Amino acid sequence: MGPGTRILVSGASSGLGSTTALLAKHLGATVVVTSRDEGKRARLRELGLDHVLDPQSSAYAEEVLAAFDGAQAEVIVDNLGVDNQWSTNLELLGPGGAVVSSGSLQGESVPVDLRQLYLKSQRIIGVRSGNLAALDRVWSEVRKGFRVAPDRLFALENIADAHAHIESEKNAGRVVVAIS
C-alpha cells in the first residue's frame, strides 16, 4: 500500500477492516470501503474515509469504478467471504491485482474463476494472522502519526456489556476494554 494504490476493503466496519482502511489512507492510498449497515457507513465516514459504499446497492460496481477514476482496484481486502459480493469484487479487480482474504465471517464458499486469475495475473492471498515484521511496520507508522479510533471503550467491570455490544453486531471498529 502506498500513494495512489487503489484499495477496496469489504467489511470495513470490523476492527481489522477499519484498521486496514485507515492504514491504507494514512499511507496515501485511494480507499473504498463497504458496509451493508447505514449506521456503520456513517461511522466510517466519521473516521475520515471518503468512499463509503453499500455493497448491496445496484450501482455498487459503478460507484467503485468512479471512486477510482474509472480504474479497477489493485488490492481488495475481503473480511467477509460473501458469495455475491466476492464475485462482484473479483470483477472489479484489475490485472495483476490481489485479493487478500483475511476472514470468512459469513462462512460461505465463494466461486473463483481460475481463467480470470490466469489471464489477468491476479492472486488470492489468505492471511490468518500477522507477523513481527508487519507489526514493526505498523508501529513505525504509529510513530509517524497513524491512529485508529476504537468503536467503544468499556471498563473491565463492564465486560459483559462489551460482549453484548459486540454480539449485537453494532460495533464499527475495535471494542476496547480498559483495565484501570
Side-chain angles (χ1 to χ4, degrees), residues 154-162 177-180:
F154 291 88
L156 181 60
E157 299 78 33
N158 300 323
I159 191 95
D161 294 336
V177 177
I179 300 170
S180 53

Side-chain angles (χ1 to χ4, degrees), residues 13 43 149-154 165 170-176:
S13 61
R43 174 69 176 141
D151 173 75
R152 292 213 23 214
L153 174 67
F154 291 88
H165 181 64
K170 293 181 181 172
N171 62 300
R174 293 268 182 228
V175 173
V176 176

Side-chain angles (χ1 to χ4, degrees), residues 50 114 121 170:
D50 303 315
L114 294 177
S121 297
K170 293 181 181 172

Side-chain angles (χ1 to χ4, degrees), residues 9-18 20 76-82 86 100-106:
V9 181
S10 291
S13 61
S14 70
L16 178 60
S18 61
T20 301
I76 296 175
V77 179
D78 185 281
N79 294 309
L80 301 173
V82 175
W86 173 273
V100 178
S101 175
S102 58
S104 182
L105 298 178
Q106 303 300 319

Side-chain angles (χ1 to χ4, degrees), residues 14-27:
S14 70
L16 178 60
S18 61
T19 300
T20 301
L22 291 169
L23 180 59
K25 182 175 178 171
H26 169 79
L27 294 172

Side-chain angles (χ1 to χ4, degrees), residues 24-62:
K25 182 175 178 171
H26 169 79
L27 294 172
T30 301
V31 184
V32 173
V33 297
T34 73
S35 176
R36 294 171 288 175
D37 181 271
E38 176 50 44
K40 292 180 179 186
R41 288 194 302 273
R43 174 69 176 141
L44 291 167
R45 286 184 204 96
E46 288 172 9
L47 293 174
L49 296 163
D50 303 315
H51 306 288
V52 181
L53 304 178
D54 178 355
Q56 297 174 323
S57 164
S58 61
Y60 171 66
E62 293 81 15

Side-chain angles (χ1 to χ4, degrees), residues 29-171:
T30 301
V31 184
V32 173
V33 297
T34 73
S35 176
R36 294 171 288 175
D37 181 271
E38 176 50 44
K40 292 180 179 186
R41 288 194 302 273
R43 174 69 176 141
L44 291 167
R45 286 184 204 96
E46 288 172 9
L47 293 174
L49 296 163
D50 303 315
H51 306 288
V52 181
L53 304 178
D54 178 355
Q56 297 174 323
S57 164
S58 61
Y60 171 66
E62 293 81 15
E63 292 168 340
V64 170
L65 295 173
F68 293 142
D69 295 324
Q72 292 176 300
E74 295 172 274
V75 177
I76 296 175
V77 179
D78 185 281
N79 294 309
L80 301 173
V82 175
D83 183 0
N84 61 347
Q85 189 171 344
W86 173 273
S87 298
T88 302
N89 284 348
L90 271 184
E91 292 172 14
L92 294 167
L93 184 64
V99 175
V100 178
S101 175
S102 58
S104 182
L105 298 178
Q106 303 300 319
E108 295 183 19
S109 295
V110 295
V112 176
D113 181 346
L114 294 177
R115 187 176 13 196
Q116 175 183 326
L117 292 177
Y118 167 72
L119 292 174
K120 292 186 175 182
S121 297
Q122 297 170 328
R123 301 172 310 279
I124 298 174
I125 304 164
V127 177
R128 174 123 168 64
S129 61
N131 57 54
L132 290 177
L135 186 60
D136 286 343
R137 288 194 302 270
V138 170
W139 280 113
S140 173
E141 295 307 321
V142 168
R143 287 188 290 279
K144 295 175 188 174
F146 172 64
R147 298 290 185 271
V148 295
D151 173 75
R152 292 213 23 214
L153 174 67
F154 291 88
L156 181 60
E157 299 78 33
N158 300 323
I159 191 95
D161 294 336
H163 280 278
H165 181 64
I166 293 169
E167 290 168 8
S168 73
E169 297 184 2
K170 293 181 181 172
N171 62 300

